[in-house]
Amino acid sequence: MQYVSTRGGSAPQEFSQILLEGLAVDGGLAMPVSYPKVTDAELTAWRKLSYADLAFKILSKFATDIPADDLRALVKKTYTAQVYCNGRNPAQANEITPLTTLEKDLHILELSNGPTLAFKDMAMQLLGNLFEYALAKTNSELNILGATSGDTGSAAEYAMRGKRGVRVFMLSPHGKMSAFQRAQMYSLQDENIFNIAIRGMFDDAQDIVKAVSNDHAFKARQKIGTVNSINWARVLAQAVYYFKGYFAATTSNDQQVSFTVPSGNFGNVLAGHIARQMGLPIRRLVAATNENNVLDEFFRTGVYRVRKSSETYETSSPSMDISKASNFERFVYDLLGQDGAAVKALWQQVDSQGYFDLSQHPAFPETASRYGFGSGCSTHADRLQTIRETQAKYGVLIDTHTADAMKVAQEWREPGIPMLVLETALPIKFAETVKEATGQAAPRPPAFAGIEDLPQRCEVMDVNVQTVKDFITQRTGL
Ligand SMILES: *Cc1c(COP(=O)(O)O)cnc(C)c1O
């Protein structure tokens, strides 16, 4: 399988070549030249597979340049009950992503039983193993630099800890994260993990990362890379649980299901699109947003309008607080018939005027009719109400992001079609709002008892690009 850029300006590349890359040379995102189709016989055979075996079947259609035995070993090492048992249902840990049935045709697909209790572990853990494998093959090393306000940074650290050839330098805003989040990240004692607490806000930390990355000589010498949400392997790894969820909710391949997905950067729901393009019988893919409703606006009106920072809200589902949806370009590429020049022109409009408008484009109605997309949004009040109602009605406590999806899912349920709501975090991660909703503390998985008391390892620094660069240089010795 070969990969090209959504903006049409890069030569075809293999999976291993795009694995460690961020943006393509032309500023676009890597996409496969076509989607491998899954046959009915394959779907039937895959029903019985373990998560790891299923992941191997799907990934091997895309990572064709990795020897099959190597790939199989990598996914077996990644998707184990040991890694994905942190949350509830220990008896179901072998399922990796168990399905909880709330009532007939309404289910929650659990994606947050990994080490950091959020769905980012589903893909990031695999990425850690893929990176280590690819770096060992070429005898090279990689220094991952990132800024985090919580979820992504800890998922990246837990995925990369102890991996040969990889170091992680993760910037976070000093004193701005919850005690639980701080403990999750700063208590890691692995020699290849470096936490840097910046005396400033998240934006200050992100600006430092941008400044360091824009120093191309420094970036090359220090072998700086990222693990952001546009990484193709990350998106692809997420397609697996759409298959797993489909098999858990159906008994034969002539049945359809719908998914509602808490969405921010459009990586999760794009994985559903990939599964659907491969032939998984998905009826609808519903993108649920919070008050930062860039995606909902597009699916309702055809206008994709990125927000200024003054228009980007801090909400109680913070992992969906985005001003633009970085993976959305990949869907638009498919919508426009893989026309890289057209995609490039649209993103030039975004750069110059802040939006593009496809409302009059003949392909726009196909977002729903051909690709099955729907959308909706929710507010803080909706989240509180949904968390309360879900607990009262079904005895199941959900987090704020899952609540955004649960609220929107109700608007898209259809008789006889199972609706699967994707759970993207456990309530303990957003305990304050969950307590506001229910009046009770969110339960804490036993593995996380007392983590706030563990010794922490973290470097505190001023908002200063040079200080961060010096620290990296010292630690890498490059
Ligand atoms: C990252 C994240 C999301 C958003 O996922 P995207 O792939 O960016 O759309 C939703 N919920 C949680 C808890 C997350 O960490």
Side-chain angles (χ1 to χ4, degrees):
M1 176 65 72
Q2 297 212 293
Y3 293 85
V4 291
S5 165
T6 48
R7 299 194 190 173
S10 77
Q13 289 182 295
E14 296 293 336
F15 181 86
S16 306
Q17 292 175 291
I18 59 161
L19 174 63
L20 299 168
E21 254 183 24
L23 292 175
V25 284
D26 62 355
L29 308 179
M31 282 289 270
V33 292
S34 64
Y35 291 105
K37 297 289 181 222
V38 177
T39 63
D40 192 53
E42 275 176 313
L43 271 187
T44 302
W46 290 5
R47 278 186 178 274
K48 300 181 271 297
L49 296 182
S50 69
Y51 195 95
D53 288 337
L54 178 62
F56 170 71
K57 293 286 184 199
I58 294 166
L59 294 169
S60 61
K61 289 183 183 285
F62 290 92
T64 45
D65 61 330
I66 299 185
D69 287 345
D70 292 358
L71 187 62
R72 191 179 288 110
L74 288 168
V75 296
K76 287 235 178 206
K77 183 166 131 186
T78 303
Y79 296 110
T80 66
Q82 220 171 351
V83 174
Y84 292 96
C85 72
N86 258 319
R88 303 151 290 177
N89 299 339
Q92 284 178 295
N94 276 324
E95 294 296 312
I96 308 297
T97 56
L99 194 71
T100 301
T101 299
L102 300 184
E103 63 181 35
K104 186 174 170 351
D105 294 337
L106 182 63
H107 312 268
I108 290 178
L109 183 61
E110 295 183 22
L111 305 179
S112 36
N113 293 328
T116 72
L117 310 184
F119 95 102
K120 297 213 164 53
D121 292 328
M122 292 308 305
M124 205 72 92
Q125 288 286 319
L126 178 70
L127 210 61
N129 287 325
L130 279 170
F131 275 19
E132 185 178 50
Y133 169 82
L135 292 167
K137 268 211 145 165
T138 52
N139 199 18
S140 42
E141 54 187 295
L142 179 72
N143 294 307
I144 293 167
L145 175 65
T148 188
S149 51
D151 276 356
T152 312
S154 60
E157 291 187 354
Y158 279 77
M160 303 297 164
R161 61 189 294 199
K163 296 279 183 271
R164 278 183 304 274
V166 188
R167 289 185 199 85
V168 178
F169 296 91
M170 192 59 67
L171 278 57
S172 51
H174 184 49
K176 300 287 190 296
M177 297 190 301
S178 72
F180 183 84
Q181 283 178 317
R182 268 201 310 273
Q184 255 191 327
M185 289 179 56
Y186 301 168
S187 67
L188 289 179
Q189 300 295 333
D190 306 78
E191 274 175 20
N192 68 332
I193 305 294
F194 300 97
N195 282 300
I196 302 172
I198 296 292
R199 289 194 187 91
M201 308 296 288
F202 169 69
D203 287 342
D204 296 314
Q206 200 166 35
D207 287 345
I208 294 175
V209 171
K210 279 187 199 152
V212 174
S213 303
N214 282 334
D215 181 343
H216 298 289
F218 181 85
K219 192 179 169 195
R221 185 170 66 247
Q222 294 296 329
K223 306 185 191 307
I224 302 282
T226 58
V227 286
N228 48 27
S229 61
I230 55 155
N231 182 286
W232 168 256
R234 250 182 93 175
V235 175
L236 177 63
Q238 295 169 173
V240 177
Y241 51 69
Y242 285 86
F243 282 85
K244 192 77 183 149
Y246 173 79
F247 295 143
T250 61
T251 50
S252 79
N253 304 341
D254 54 14
Q255 293 169 279
Q256 285 191 315
V257 308
S258 293
F259 291 92
T260 304
V261 186
S263 294
N265 272 318
F266 204 72
N268 199 352
V269 74
L270 182 76
H273 168 71
I274 295 167
R276 196 173 183 276
Q277 292 305 102
M278 291 175 74
L280 190 67
I282 296 175
R283 180 165 165 76
R284 290 210 181 280
L285 288 166
V286 182
T289 72
N290 61 22
E291 291 88 336
N292 297 292
N293 59 352
V294 180
L295 290 166
D296 180 41
E297 180 175 59
F298 173 78
F299 287 111
R300 276 187 296 105
T301 68
V303 176
Y304 177 69
R305 185 173 61 87
V306 304
R307 309 293 197 248
K308 301 189 190 71
S309 37
S310 60
E311 303 168 320
T312 308
Y313 308 108
E314 274 186 38
T315 76
S316 49
S317 45
S319 301
M320 292 155 57
D321 292 350
I322 47 100
S323 56
K324 58 184 190 331
S326 36
N327 272 299
F328 179 61
E329 183 171 335
R330 288 187 158 120
F331 171 66
V332 174
Y333 177 72
D334 281 347
L335 181 66
L336 299 184
Q338 281 91 30
D339 182 346
V343 172
K344 186 174 166 188
L346 289 181
W347 260 266
Q348 272 166 353
Q349 284 179 30
V350 171
D351 287 342
S352 63
Q353 64 185 29
Y355 71 94
F356 61 73
D357 182 354
L358 293 185
S359 60
Q360 304 307 314
H361 194 288
F364 178 63
E366 294 183 357
T367 54
S369 63
R370 180 169 173 197
Y371 294 101
F373 273 97
S375 71
C377 65
S378 90
T379 64
H380 181 69
D382 292 327
R383 283 188 279 286
L384 295 181
Q385 192 185 341
T386 306
I387 291 170
R388 247 189 323 263
E389 283 177 1
T390 307
Q391 192 185 38
K393 199 163 173 199
Y394 309 111
V396 172
L397 189 63
I398 55 176
D399 95 294
T400 51
H401 305 76
T402 311
D404 285 324
M406 187 62 75
K407 184 258 178 184
V408 172
Q410 304 294 350
E411 298 157 12
W412 286 91
R413 285 179 73 185
E414 295 167 278
I417 309 279
M419 172 61 83
L420 277 65
V421 174
L422 268 49
E423 171 213 77
T424 54
L426 289 195
I428 182 72
K429 294 206 81 171
F430 303 96
E432 240 174 68
T433 309
V434 170
K435 185 157 187 200
E436 187 184 344
T438 64
Q440 288 157 15
R444 177 182 290 229
F448 290 82
I451 56 163
E452 290 91 339
D453 302 329
L454 295 174
Q456 299 191 356
R457 220 174 120 247
C458 166
E459 206 76 30
V460 182
M461 285 182 203
D462 287 330
V463 182
N464 184 318
V465 176
Q466 193 57 45
T467 317
V468 172
K469 281 182 173 173
D470 291 345
F471 181 81
I472 295 172
T473 307
Q474 259 175 25
R475 294 307 186 279
T476 64
L478 292 170

